[in-house]
Amino acid sequence: MIKRLIACCILLVFSSLLTVVGKNTHNANNTKPPKNIILLIGDGMGLAQVTAGMYANGNQLNLERFPVAGMIKTHSSSHVITDSAAGATAFSCGCKTYNGAIGVTKDKKNCLTILEQAEKSGLATGLISTSSITHATPASFIAHVNSRTEMEGIAEFFLQTELDFLVGGGLEYFNNRKKDQRNLCTELTKKGSFVSDFQVKNLKDLTPNPQKPFIWFSALGEPDSVSGGRDYLPLAAKMAPDFLKKRSEKGFFLMLEGSQIDWACHAKNGTRAVDEMLDFDAAIGEILRFAEADGNTLVVITADHETGGLALEQGEGFEVLDLEFNTGYHTATMVPVFAFGPGAEQFGGVLDNTDIYWKMAKLWGWVPEVTGAAAVQIDTKTSKRN
Ligand code: MG
Ligand code: ZN
């Protein structure tokens, strides 16, 4: 009797083990959709910028901890060499558009962005940049204008989509407007968003209250470079995910941009380019720390294009590089994409910049949509090649 009981118990344990193994195998075959997606964009960050930062940092970057890497083609619909507006609209809407376009198709129709889709679906949303928040890259996730130069027009879109967390420069486009006498900060405050007093110079002096959307402007116009004392990007990267997690139980979408890698390379300033790269990598470290602990967050890091045609030449001593810039503008070279978390494996190989959007949207089970009077569906295939 006892022997039979033991045999029975062994059988039970064995069969429950089989069930566990079976379940795990089943899960491994089906990608678990991420609850949160964090998209990090290094503006102008080609492989040479990444490599220069890595060797300047003792042959080490947080980027190296990402298990999946791929490459993306960056051309726009109008030029083989994209600008940041068309580059960011490819990520936010999944369509190739013309250089200068902010959240509109090549036919100048508004395309619903992944951030707007997230907000409509009840997720929390955030934008962080080291440029003005109305600059091409962040603007393409929330605004719809025909030209990136319409900064005051772009600012008005921040009243239409309830952003939960905003950190960036460009306060003057909200409260010192030339085209009208509106004070968008007052209007945002009335709507319930917490807009920081610009006199509060340091993000670290603020504790965002998750009961309200949080807005902190880092500068009137464009924030200073790292050498000018600008140091808020890693801190914002640390604050935002915890804050956004408290804002919605459904999850969140966050876009964070290292904006000035591009500007340093336009200026052909190698030292500054490395500083900006390492500032961005420090932010990546904070995001990765959150994602590792959370387990439900997909992190995708990429660039809109390379800037400067950067060549890395042997300097004095091992790991010391001479940075040579071949142009003061962007180049057509493919740029890297790195991914971590649920769904990360989808981002390996050679992709198009528009694929970044399609893969994120499909992981969340969303169908593409174009808004506006003459709504059209964007076709995956033509959007990738037109
Ligand atoms: Mg940018
Ligand atoms: Zn640029």
Side-chain angles (χ1 to χ4, degrees):
M1 183 66 186
I2 288 173
K3 269 184 186 169
R4 268 179 67 187
L5 250 177
I6 291 170
C8 203
C9 284
I10 289 170
L11 206 70
L12 259 174
V13 169
F14 189 66
S15 63
S16 50
L17 267 175
L18 268 179
T19 314
V20 170
V21 170
K23 270 183 188 160
N24 283 347
T25 310
H26 178 75
N27 283 346
N29 289 339
N30 295 278
T31 300
K32 182 182 76 166
K35 189 173 177 188
N36 316 306
I37 297 182
I38 304 178
L39 176 63
L40 307 177
I41 302 174
D43 199 315
M45 184 187 75
L47 271 181
Q49 284 77 3
V50 171
T51 310
M54 182 184 72
Y55 283 121
N57 196 44
N59 188 9
Q60 178 184 316
L61 284 179
N62 288 313
L63 266 178
E64 293 177 61
R65 291 159 57 198
F66 282 67
V68 175
M71 286 186 286
I72 59 166
K73 306 176 190 186
T74 65
H75 62 273
S76 69
S77 71
S78 61
H79 295 78
V80 72
I81 295 177
T82 190
D83 82 323
S84 296
T89 301
F91 300 146
S92 68
C93 290
C95 61
K96 293 278 189 192
T97 189
Y98 59 91
N99 285 9
I102 301 286
V104 296
T105 66
K106 64 176 182 147
D107 305 320
K108 300 188 176 168
K109 293 191 175 78
N110 294 354
C111 51
L112 195 71
T113 73
I114 190 155
L115 185 146
E116 290 169 317
Q117 279 179 307
E119 200 254 348
K120 282 183 179 204
S121 307
L123 280 74
T125 55
L127 284 177
I128 300 169
S129 73
T130 49
S131 63
S132 61
I133 205 71
T134 51
H135 211 271
T137 312
S140 297
F141 285 82
I142 196 166
H144 307 279
V145 295
N146 292 343
S147 168
R148 59 184 290 169
T149 58
E150 298 169 36
M151 299 288 244
E152 292 184 357
I154 288 166
E156 289 158 33
F157 283 90
F158 288 81
L159 281 152
Q160 292 181 28
T161 295
E162 194 198 280
L163 202 58
D164 294 275
F165 190 93
L166 184 167
V167 165
L171 176 63
E172 63 187 357
Y173 305 112
F174 291 79
N175 75 352
N176 189 21
R177 296 162 61 83
K178 294 183 178 71
K179 69 182 268 194
D180 54 40
Q181 303 313 307
R182 288 173 71 184
N183 185 332
L184 305 188
C185 287
T186 308
E187 293 178 40
L188 282 163
T189 309
K190 273 188 192 148
K191 276 188 75 181
S193 302
F194 176 73
V195 183
S196 75
D197 187 336
F198 183 63
Q199 301 309 313
V200 182
K201 286 280 198 300
N202 252 313
L203 185 57
K204 52 177 166 279
D205 296 336
L206 292 166
T207 308
N209 171 8
Q211 302 300 313
K212 288 178 164 196
F214 176 77
I215 298 174
W216 180 69
F217 284 105
S218 56
L220 282 169
E222 301 305 336
D224 271 348
S225 68
V226 168
S227 54
R230 196 212 72 224
D231 60 356
Y232 65 81
L233 191 64
L235 179 58
K238 189 180 178 186
M239 275 182 172
D242 286 325
F243 179 85
L244 291 169
K245 206 175 167 176
K246 289 179 193 141
R247 290 286 302 166
S248 172
E249 286 181 354
K250 290 185 175 173
F252 65 81
F253 175 81
L254 169 67
M255 194 289 296
L256 177 148
E257 184 200 20
S259 318
Q260 299 195 29
I261 301 166
D262 176 62
W263 301 356
C265 295
H266 277 289
K268 301 188 176 183
N269 184 334
T271 307
R272 193 177 150 207
V274 165
D275 281 351
E276 292 294 344
M277 185 63 226
L278 295 181
D279 186 47
F280 185 52
D281 191 62
I284 290 166
E286 296 292 350
I287 294 294
L288 196 52
R289 201 189 330 275
F290 170 86
E292 281 170 343
D294 180 67
N296 287 312
T297 302
L298 168 68
V299 184
V300 178
I301 304 178
T302 191
D304 45 3
H305 51 74
E306 194 271 347
T307 305
L310 179 57
L312 305 179
E313 299 177 356
Q314 182 67 59
E316 287 182 22
F318 190 75
E319 289 187 11
V320 178
L321 295 166
D322 267 345
L323 275 59
E324 291 289 333
F325 293 92
N326 290 295
T327 171
Y329 193 58
H330 308 159
T331 68
T333 185
M334 287 197 285
V335 294
V337 52
F338 304 90
F340 173 92
E345 67 285 349
Q346 309 231 355
F347 293 84
V350 177
L351 308 172
D352 211 327
N353 55 3
T354 51
D355 289 329
I356 302 296
Y357 167 85
W358 294 103
K359 286 174 184 293
M360 293 190 299
K362 280 175 187 167
L363 279 166
W364 269 347
W366 293 344
V367 285
E369 213 183 310
V370 174
T371 62
V376 291
Q377 287 284 319
I378 299 171
D379 177 79
T380 319
K381 288 202 174 93
T382 58
S383 77
K384 285 169 74 170
R385 293 285 175 255
N386 60 11

